[in-house]
mmCIF file of all heavy atoms in Angstrom:
data_model
loop_
_atom_site.group_PDB
_atom_site.id
_atom_site.type_symbol
_atom_site.label_atom_id
_atom_site.label_comp_id
_atom_site.label_asym_id
_atom_site.label_seq_id
_atom_site.Cartn_x
_atom_site.Cartn_y
_atom_site.Cartn_z
ATOM 1 N N GLY A 78 -5.726 -0.603 2.839
ATOM 2 C CA GLY A 78 -4.940 -1.673 3.447
ATOM 3 C C GLY A 78 -5.819 -2.881 3.738
ATOM 4 O O GLY A 78 -5.413 -4.023 3.465
ATOM 5 N N LEU A 79 -7.008 -2.642 4.246
ATOM 6 C CA LEU A 79 -7.940 -3.714 4.541
ATOM 7 C C LEU A 79 -8.299 -4.444 3.225
ATOM 8 O O LEU A 79 -8.363 -5.668 3.165
ATOM 9 C CB LEU A 79 -9.167 -3.194 5.208
ATOM 10 C CG LEU A 79 -10.198 -4.199 5.619
ATOM 11 C CD1 LEU A 79 -9.609 -5.274 6.567
ATOM 12 C CD2 LEU A 79 -11.384 -3.530 6.284
ATOM 13 N N LEU A 80 -8.553 -3.666 2.172
ATOM 14 C CA LEU A 80 -8.878 -4.257 0.856
ATOM 15 C C LEU A 80 -7.726 -5.068 0.311
ATOM 16 O O LEU A 80 -7.917 -6.153 -0.250
ATOM 17 C CB LEU A 80 -9.245 -3.135 -0.108
ATOM 18 C CG LEU A 80 -9.840 -3.598 -1.477
ATOM 19 C CD1 LEU A 80 -11.004 -4.492 -1.286
ATOM 20 C CD2 LEU A 80 -10.234 -2.340 -2.236
ATOM 21 N N MET A 81 -6.464 -4.622 0.509
ATOM 22 C CA MET A 81 -5.317 -5.425 0.116
ATOM 23 C C MET A 81 -5.269 -6.750 0.872
ATOM 24 O O MET A 81 -5.044 -7.800 0.231
ATOM 25 C CB MET A 81 -4.014 -4.656 0.405
ATOM 26 C CG MET A 81 -3.807 -3.407 -0.427
ATOM 27 S SD MET A 81 -2.368 -2.490 0.220
ATOM 28 C CE MET A 81 -2.791 -0.818 -0.191
ATOM 29 N N LEU A 82 -5.562 -6.700 2.144
ATOM 30 C CA LEU A 82 -5.520 -7.920 2.969
ATOM 31 C C LEU A 82 -6.658 -8.878 2.598
ATOM 32 O O LEU A 82 -6.490 -10.100 2.656
ATOM 33 C CB LEU A 82 -5.598 -7.573 4.426
ATOM 34 C CG LEU A 82 -4.330 -6.864 4.963
ATOM 35 C CD1 LEU A 82 -4.581 -6.379 6.383
ATOM 36 C CD2 LEU A 82 -3.134 -7.792 4.886
ATOM 37 N N LEU A 83 -7.826 -8.348 2.224
ATOM 38 C CA LEU A 83 -8.943 -9.204 1.918
ATOM 39 C C LEU A 83 -8.636 -10.078 0.673
ATOM 40 O O LEU A 83 -9.170 -11.195 0.586
ATOM 41 C CB LEU A 83 -10.217 -8.347 1.655
ATOM 42 C CG LEU A 83 -10.899 -7.774 2.912
ATOM 43 C CD1 LEU A 83 -12.012 -6.876 2.478
ATOM 44 C CD2 LEU A 83 -11.376 -8.911 3.767
ATOM 45 N N GLY A 84 -7.789 -9.616 -0.204
ATOM 46 C CA GLY A 84 -7.375 -10.411 -1.342
ATOM 47 C C GLY A 84 -6.658 -11.699 -0.944
ATOM 48 O O GLY A 84 -6.572 -12.635 -1.754
ATOM 49 N N LEU A 85 -6.115 -11.756 0.303
ATOM 50 C CA LEU A 85 -5.502 -12.973 0.754
ATOM 51 C C LEU A 85 -6.509 -14.077 1.052
ATOM 52 O O LEU A 85 -6.177 -15.241 0.956
ATOM 53 C CB LEU A 85 -4.681 -12.666 2.023
ATOM 54 C CG LEU A 85 -3.518 -11.759 1.890
ATOM 55 C CD1 LEU A 85 -2.941 -11.362 3.250
ATOM 56 C CD2 LEU A 85 -2.432 -12.382 1.014
ATOM 57 N N TRP A 86 -7.735 -13.707 1.391
ATOM 58 C CA TRP A 86 -8.724 -14.700 1.811
ATOM 59 C C TRP A 86 -9.820 -14.858 0.803
ATOM 60 O O TRP A 86 -10.532 -15.897 0.816
ATOM 61 C CB TRP A 86 -9.322 -14.327 3.181
ATOM 62 C CG TRP A 86 -8.229 -14.396 4.242
ATOM 63 C CD1 TRP A 86 -7.790 -15.521 4.822
ATOM 64 C CD2 TRP A 86 -7.561 -13.310 4.808
ATOM 65 N NE1 TRP A 86 -6.834 -15.202 5.777
ATOM 66 C CE2 TRP A 86 -6.661 -13.832 5.776
ATOM 67 C CE3 TRP A 86 -7.568 -11.959 4.661
ATOM 68 C CZ2 TRP A 86 -5.809 -13.070 6.514
ATOM 69 C CZ3 TRP A 86 -6.741 -11.116 5.379
ATOM 70 C CH2 TRP A 86 -5.883 -11.718 6.336
ATOM 71 N N ARG A 87 -10.101 -13.822 0.027
ATOM 72 C CA ARG A 87 -11.162 -13.913 -0.966
ATOM 73 C C ARG A 87 -10.545 -13.871 -2.391
ATOM 74 O O ARG A 87 -10.160 -12.824 -2.829
ATOM 75 C CB ARG A 87 -12.144 -12.721 -0.775
ATOM 76 C CG ARG A 87 -12.734 -12.560 0.599
ATOM 77 C CD ARG A 87 -13.786 -13.513 0.913
ATOM 78 N NE ARG A 87 -14.831 -13.437 -0.095
ATOM 79 C CZ ARG A 87 -16.110 -13.575 0.177
ATOM 80 N NH1 ARG A 87 -16.471 -13.723 1.413
ATOM 81 N NH2 ARG A 87 -16.981 -13.510 -0.782
ATOM 82 N N ARG A 88 -10.524 -15.038 -3.009
ATOM 83 C CA ARG A 88 -9.884 -15.089 -4.350
ATOM 84 C C ARG A 88 -10.526 -14.141 -5.333
ATOM 85 O O ARG A 88 -9.846 -13.593 -6.225
ATOM 86 C CB ARG A 88 -9.949 -16.516 -4.874
ATOM 87 C CG ARG A 88 -8.963 -17.438 -4.193
ATOM 88 C CD ARG A 88 -8.747 -18.715 -4.898
ATOM 89 N NE ARG A 88 -9.880 -19.205 -5.603
ATOM 90 C CZ ARG A 88 -10.215 -20.457 -5.689
ATOM 91 N NH1 ARG A 88 -9.485 -21.369 -5.141
ATOM 92 N NH2 ARG A 88 -11.281 -20.860 -6.357
ATOM 93 N N THR A 89 -11.796 -13.902 -5.238
ATOM 94 C CA THR A 89 -12.492 -13.016 -6.164
ATOM 95 C C THR A 89 -11.989 -11.574 -5.988
ATOM 96 O O THR A 89 -12.080 -10.760 -6.930
ATOM 97 C CB THR A 89 -14.021 -13.054 -5.988
ATOM 98 O OG1 THR A 89 -14.328 -12.746 -4.594
ATOM 99 C CG2 THR A 89 -14.559 -14.400 -6.380
ATOM 100 N N LEU A 90 -11.433 -11.233 -4.839
ATOM 101 C CA LEU A 90 -10.932 -9.842 -4.577
ATOM 102 C C LEU A 90 -9.458 -9.726 -4.963
ATOM 103 O O LEU A 90 -8.952 -8.599 -4.880
ATOM 104 C CB LEU A 90 -11.170 -9.448 -3.152
ATOM 105 C CG LEU A 90 -12.603 -9.174 -2.725
ATOM 106 C CD1 LEU A 90 -12.673 -8.862 -1.263
ATOM 107 C CD2 LEU A 90 -13.194 -8.079 -3.543
ATOM 108 N N LEU A 91 -8.764 -10.772 -5.248
ATOM 109 C CA LEU A 91 -7.342 -10.716 -5.502
ATOM 110 C C LEU A 91 -6.988 -9.690 -6.608
ATOM 111 O O LEU A 91 -6.048 -8.907 -6.397
ATOM 112 C CB LEU A 91 -6.781 -12.093 -5.883
ATOM 113 C CG LEU A 91 -5.248 -12.125 -6.137
ATOM 114 C CD1 LEU A 91 -4.485 -11.707 -4.906
ATOM 115 C CD2 LEU A 91 -4.866 -13.519 -6.568
ATOM 116 N N PRO A 92 -7.660 -9.645 -7.737
ATOM 117 C CA PRO A 92 -7.256 -8.651 -8.763
ATOM 118 C C PRO A 92 -7.461 -7.218 -8.239
ATOM 119 O O PRO A 92 -6.598 -6.354 -8.492
ATOM 120 C CB PRO A 92 -8.203 -8.930 -9.902
ATOM 121 C CG PRO A 92 -8.700 -10.326 -9.748
ATOM 122 C CD PRO A 92 -8.696 -10.566 -8.241
#
Side-chain angles (χ1 to χ4, degrees):
L79 183 60
L80 189 53
M81 293 172 209
L82 292 171
L83 285 174
L85 295 171
W86 295 283
R87 305 285 303 219
R88 286 195 326 218
T89 55
L90 289 177
L91 181 62

